[in-house]
Amino acid sequence: MFQLDTLLRPHIAALVPYSSARDEYTGTVGVFLDANENPLGSTTTEGDYNRYPDPHQQAIKQRLAPIKGVRPEQIFLGNGSDEPIDLLVRATCRPGLDGPSQDGPGVDHILIMPPTYGMYEVSASINDVAITKVPLTPDFQVDTDAVLAAITDTTKLIFLCSPNNPSGNLLHPDAIRRILEAAQTALVIVDEAYIDFADVPSWAAQLDQYPNLVVLQTFSKAWGLAGLRLGMCFASPELIAVMNKIKPPYNISAPTQALALDALTHEADKRQMVSEIMAERQWLADALQTLPIVQHIHPSDANFLLVRFADAKGTFKYLIDQQVIVRDRSSVKLCDGCLRITIGTRAENERLIEVLRHPAPVPADDQLPLGTGDQATKPELVSND
């Protein structure tokens, strides 16, 4: 039987959280002399932001809960999905690969299934936490028996990305269910950043059935709010309370909260955009299939296509020279020769096809504005392997 208390690091379970001024008084009317704010207003003409925002984003959670079919107390909002990923690692995994830590030997680990989203590994590495890798099968599905064999008493987090990045496909639900039922001493995180583009229900509907289940979603993709950096995490109220305890006091800014609240009143617009993107996904797949340089298009339940080219690196460099920017995934496990192509507008997709139909000599490497990734500041720029 799953028990959250046995999973948490001891000092996290005993932590007394920071109490902000807005925790002590949650009203919106009064004379506010408690938070050392500037009472005269803001130095920007774009709004009044001199007061701290709601530290728990209650208005958003109240509006979001019925949309997602969960309760407000099952929602955590983070600075992108990367914040809850990091918080989950810090809450459960004892750091220290080379020796003991204050909580004991650093033997805890996360389990990931490459190729997958790179920030799971990055967050674990930043926190000095061990990583167990069980690769997906060649068709980008979970090797369930191998995953179950790799789970030990010190496996704290198991990450499943569905639809998966960079392959784009949904993971088989039976595999996820078997892992949820077997991993009674670990949290199973299903990352659904691209779920809006797949014709399946969210695993968030199963939260009450599986207390070890965590579901990640984002406002960045279907909602078109990547610039806000707002991620959603759905879990048991007990785990959400732990995450609220260890997060920064005001992790979601007032402008972000206001814009997210406005976006949630336009759900019909979001559905229309999703429908258009899915139609463009089919159009682009059909158009790419006619090109001799395209060898295979992987099935996608996301807003991108993973495409294998005869010369992926040469094609990537040529596209850069033509100012058409895609992602080179050819060095990622199981993605040999593949580029990841985000679904654009019809005009952008037509431009991509036009360029690929008329290949030109590839310029020398020193003429291309390519980064090495060494100074990458966005998780999307971090290699998945």
Side-chain angles (χ1 to χ4, degrees):
M1 180 178 177
F2 178 78
Q3 292 182 310
L4 180 61
D5 287 346
T6 63
L7 182 64
L8 298 176
R9 295 171 63 192
H11 79 281
I12 294 294
L15 178 69
V16 177
Y18 174 80
S19 178
S20 72
R22 295 300 174 260
D23 286 315
E24 297 169 355
Y25 178 73
T26 60
T28 59
V29 177
V31 178
F32 290 95
L33 305 176
D34 56 343
N36 301 335
E37 300 152 325
N38 185 335
L40 303 180
S42 304
T43 52
T44 175
T45 59
E46 298 300 319
D48 288 327
Y49 300 116
N50 57 316
R51 300 297 182 184
Y52 286 111
D54 175 4
H56 300 295
Q57 311 92 36
Q58 296 295 350
I60 299 176
K61 293 175 182 178
Q62 290 292 333
R63 191 170 292 175
L64 182 63
I67 293 175
K68 295 299 181 179
V70 300
R71 301 186 299 278
E73 61 269 24
Q74 293 176 307
I75 303 173
F76 176 87
L77 297 176
N79 188 355
S81 296
D82 304 322
E83 183 176 21
I85 291 170
D86 178 68
L87 291 177
L88 290 167
V89 173
R90 288 194 281 142
T92 62
C93 297
R94 293 169 293 174
L97 305 182
D98 301 318
S101 71
Q102 63 182 15
D103 294 327
V107 295
D108 292 337
H109 65 276
I110 71 167
L111 193 156
I112 64 174
M113 299 163 213
T116 191
Y117 180 46
M119 278 306 293
Y120 313 142
E121 183 172 353
V122 170
S123 289
S125 298
I126 289 172
N127 288 286
D128 199 17
V129 168
I131 302 159
T132 298
K133 299 181 181 181
V134 180
L136 296 175
T137 61
D139 60 346
F140 300 112
Q141 289 298 330
V142 177
D143 187 341
T144 311
D145 291 338
V147 169
L148 296 180
I151 297 173
T152 71
D153 291 341
T154 57
T155 306
K156 295 299 183 73
L157 305 174
I158 302 170
F159 287 95
L160 298 127
C161 190
S162 182
N164 187 49
N165 179 14
S167 57
N169 62 292
L170 286 161
L171 302 180
H172 290 157
D174 287 346
I176 297 175
R177 190 170 292 108
R178 285 184 61 191
I179 294 169
L180 277 166
E181 292 172 352
Q184 289 300 303
T185 59
L187 292 173
V188 179
I189 300 104
V190 182
D191 189 343
E192 295 183 336
Y194 301 95
I195 193 66
D196 293 280
F197 305 101
D199 190 21
V200 295
S202 167
W203 278 90
Q206 306 296 318
L207 287 177
D208 290 333
Q209 182 176 351
Y210 297 106
N212 58 335
L213 172 63
V214 179
V215 177
L216 300 177
Q217 293 185 17
T218 180
F219 283 92
S220 295
K221 312 300 181 183
W223 292 91
L225 299 174
L228 293 191
R229 307 305 303 128
L230 185 59
M232 297 169 270
C233 176
F234 308 106
S236 69
E238 293 77 16
L239 180 57
I240 296 300
V242 171
M243 297 174 72
N244 282 328
K245 185 165 70 168
I246 63 176
K247 76 173 182 67
Y250 304 108
N251 61 321
I252 307 299
S253 72
T256 294
Q257 293 192 40
L259 290 168
L261 273 171
D262 177 67
L264 289 170
T265 66
H266 299 283
E267 189 182 6
D269 293 336
K270 187 266 289 187
R271 289 194 294 266
Q272 177 59 38
M273 287 193 293
V274 167
S275 178
E276 185 174 341
I277 289 170
M278 291 173 71
E280 284 300 313
R281 181 178 68 192
Q282 186 61 54
W283 183 93
L284 183 58
D286 292 342
L288 286 167
Q289 197 68 57
T290 67
L291 302 179
I293 60 174
V294 171
Q295 296 182 332
H296 182 67
I297 302 170
H298 292 277
S300 177
D301 298 291
N303 68 335
F304 59 84
L305 294 171
L306 186 69
V307 182
R308 187 170 72 241
F309 287 83
D311 178 13
K313 290 193 176 297
T315 301
F316 174 71
K317 292 175 181 178
Y318 167 58
L319 288 172
I320 289 280
D321 184 53
Q322 299 299 311
Q323 296 183 317
V324 178
I325 317 304
V326 300
R327 285 282 272 148
D328 182 2
R329 301 286 77 191
S330 60
S331 299
V332 173
K333 190 177 187 68
L334 301 180
C335 299
D336 295 352
C338 288
L339 303 180
R340 194 193 71 189
I341 304 172
T342 303
I343 308 303
T345 64
R346 175 58 63 89
E348 291 170 332
N349 296 333
E350 287 178 343
R351 172 60 179 161
L352 168 69
I353 297 301
E354 176 188 9
V355 169
L356 291 175
R357 280 189 177 138
H358 303 285
V362 177
D365 287 354
D366 58 4
Q367 294 178 310
L368 297 174
L370 298 176
T372 64
D374 295 338
Q375 290 80 36
T377 57
K378 295 198 302 180
E380 291 82 4
L381 297 181
V382 179
S383 171
N384 285 323
D385 196 1

